[in-house]
Amino acid sequence: MFLPRGPGALCIYRRAGTSRYFAHRFFATRTYEPLRILFCGSDEFSIASLKALHKEHLDRPDRISSIDVVCRPGKRVGRGLKKIREVPIKAAATDLSLPVHEIDTFRGWTPPVLPGGPVNLIVAVSFGLFVPPRILHGAKYGGLNVHPSLLPDFRGPAPLHHTLLAGRTRTGVTLQTLDFKHFDHGVILQQTSPPGFEIPKPESCTVPELLNLVAPKGAEILVDGIRKGLFVPPVHDAGWRSPEEHESLIHAAKIKPEDRHIDWANWTWLDISRRIRVLGPLWSKALVSNDATVNPSSFHYRRVIFTEMEEVEPMKGSEAYAVVPGLPFVDGAHPIESRQGKGVYVFTQDGKLLRINQMKVEGEQNADALRAALKARMVGDRTFPSNGSDYTPFYNPLQ
């Protein structure tokens, strides 16, 4: 079988015994003007790419002649909003002696005109603002983006979180063009070869650990794509996922407070422990008595953040509580006293018993779970006898 070769040639072959075609393109490095880059970024992932571009700029000024950095303005934080928390990339750009432009919107803003001419390439990495068509059309070579997933899987602003929440053992990075209408819908110019690289210890990997893995790989694929001139028109789609794989794609939506709200009726201990590892402490709402001296009692819900919990072996007679996932109970008969040293327990949807060691009730300080529950008047006034053991439940299951 004759295989055409040479710059720009497209080689297609058919794998014996299958009906699927595989294609591989050979392209010569494309020529382009020295790049005047407008780099839009924010966090550690984008800082790795900025540093790699800056090194390439120093090594090959004929390839990258200048880099200007765009970031969001700092936000006021803390008591009285007296402190300003700057976007991390601002300090990194300042250390590299690069010009910094702080904007909160592109409306009415125009990229700088440099001594060599106007900006001719936009690079947006973990930026957060949508780069409008007006800005992209003004750059001769359009825009590039580095995304820490194997697109089109995990499109969205939180790919690292959702990769770990989905229990994936492999991931990758993608270099794509900036789309004129949507985030993460550009043409895939280059990405990690299938099936992606392994995530070390995926069962315990955290978001910062995954970030440390993908950040340098993202920087590498960006510089490699620039060296090859993959952004020079006409661009070619290098995505390798087959159409049938698109059915199982996950959207990496922005992480919201509700993502930390435990769904006791449906989440297993694996779901809960994975979210704790990826998102941090989870929360629920507990029914509490307004005033123990008033009869009849009135109740309302307060948010409870579980700052420390662990799986433990079921206790004698506690199995009866497993039929109501999310109903907390205390190991002891009413009336419960904090000095008794008893614990707060709750069963998950899959029948795992959890001991809540520390929790923070809305409006209170983080404390021992039993003491916090008693202070907030969450514990009921009835005893649940079972198999010779006495347990005191909370007023209601956690919501």
Side-chain angles (χ1 to χ4, degrees):
M1 179 178 179
F2 174 71
L3 297 178
R5 301 182 182 278
L10 172 65
C11 296
I12 303 178
Y13 63 91
R14 185 172 184 175
R15 189 173 180 178
T18 70
S19 61
R20 183 173 175 178
Y21 284 85
F22 294 81
H24 182 69
R25 295 181 176 92
F26 297 89
F27 294 105
T29 298
R30 304 179 186 184
T31 58
Y32 50 88
E33 297 175 2
L35 297 177
R36 297 176 293 276
I37 295 176
L38 186 69
F39 186 94
C40 308
S42 62
D43 57 13
E44 296 301 325
F45 184 70
S46 52
I47 288 174
S49 291
L50 177 63
K51 289 182 176 179
L53 286 181
H54 181 256
K55 183 178 184 304
E56 187 74 1
H57 161 61
L58 296 180
D59 294 341
R60 292 293 303 271
D62 59 319
R63 182 175 287 154
I64 299 178
S65 64
S66 66
I67 304 173
D68 277 55
V69 177
V70 171
C71 66
R72 309 283 289 274
K75 293 184 178 180
R76 292 189 173 275
V77 297
R79 182 173 296 179
L81 301 178
K82 295 180 180 179
K83 294 184 179 180
I84 297 179
R85 180 183 297 165
E86 301 287 2
V87 179
I89 202 169
K90 180 180 179 180
T94 301
D95 290 342
L96 297 174
S97 299
L98 297 176
V100 177
H101 311 270
E102 296 182 82
I103 63 172
D104 217 9
T105 177
F106 281 103
R107 183 174 299 174
W109 186 81
T110 303
V113 177
L114 307 168
V119 166
N120 57 11
L121 179 66
I122 312 295
V123 178
V125 182
S126 189
F127 183 45
L129 282 181
F130 187 78
V131 181
R134 171 180 64 85
I135 301 294
L136 295 176
H137 282 308
K140 179 177 181 179
Y141 300 116
L144 292 178
N145 167 256
V146 181
H147 193 77
S149 80
L150 295 173
L151 291 174
D153 208 10
F154 297 105
R155 281 177 172 144
L160 300 185
H161 294 78
H162 286 278
T163 295
L164 295 177
L165 288 175
R168 296 294 175 84
T169 59
R170 290 179 174 274
T171 188
V173 293
T174 300
L175 178 67
Q176 63 173 335
T177 63
L178 287 174
D179 188 73
F180 289 112
K181 295 183 179 180
H182 305 286
F183 281 108
D184 303 330
H185 280 72
V187 178
I188 296 175
L189 303 178
Q190 192 169 334
Q191 64 184 162
T192 306
S193 300
F197 49 76
E198 291 186 355
I199 298 175
K201 300 179 179 179
E203 70 285 349
S204 62
C205 186
T206 63
V207 171
E209 290 171 343
L210 185 56
L211 174 62
N212 290 336
L213 174 66
V214 299
K217 293 182 182 295
E220 180 181 349
I221 202 172
L222 172 60
V223 172
D224 186 61
I226 284 180
R227 288 172 179 170
K228 294 175 180 176
L230 298 181
F231 53 88
V232 179
V235 297
H236 298 276
D237 192 338
W240 50 262
R241 286 188 178 274
S242 60
E244 56 267 24
E245 290 179 292
H246 289 191
E247 297 178 1
S248 59
L249 299 181
I250 294 177
H251 176 61
K254 181 180 178 180
I255 299 298
K256 300 178 181 178
E258 192 62 26
D259 295 316
R260 298 182 175 90
H261 188 177
I262 301 179
D263 182 354
W264 293 102
N266 296 296
W267 288 5
T268 65
W269 169 233
L270 177 61
D271 296 324
I272 293 172
S273 60
R274 186 177 285 169
R275 287 187 180 242
I276 292 173
R277 168 166 54 90
V278 177
L279 305 180
L282 308 182
W283 61 274
S284 285
K285 290 184 178 180
L287 192 67
V288 305
S289 173
N290 286 327
D291 191 339
T293 63
V294 176
N295 193 15
S297 299
S298 59
F299 297 88
H300 72 284
Y301 281 98
R302 294 174 73 179
R303 179 175 293 198
V304 180
I305 300 174
F306 305 106
T307 54
E308 184 183 330
M309 62 169 65
E310 60 180 329
E311 181 189 2
V312 296
E313 292 296 324
M315 303 176 297
K316 181 181 178 181
S318 66
E319 294 86 353
Y321 282 89
V323 300
V324 186
L327 176 60
F329 60 95
V330 178
D331 181 15
H334 183 80
I336 299 295
E337 297 182 13
S338 60
R339 65 174 179 270
Q340 289 178 320
K342 302 295 183 180
V344 176
Y345 300 87
V346 62
F347 276 97
T348 62
Q349 181 271 341
D350 58 338
K352 303 295 184 181
L353 180 61
L354 306 184
R355 177 186 170 97
I356 302 172
N357 296 319
Q358 299 278 324
M359 66 185 191
K360 183 183 184 304
V361 180
E362 183 180 352
E364 306 288 346
Q365 296 294 318
N366 186 51
D368 171 81
L370 179 57
R371 294 181 180 178
L374 293 174
K375 183 177 181 181
R377 296 187 292 275
M378 296 178 181
V379 182
D381 57 1
R382 65 196 185 281
T383 300
F384 192 106
S386 177
N387 296 332
S389 299
D390 291 328
Y391 301 101
T392 303
F394 279 34
Y395 283 112
N396 259 19
L398 296 167
Q399 301 295 314

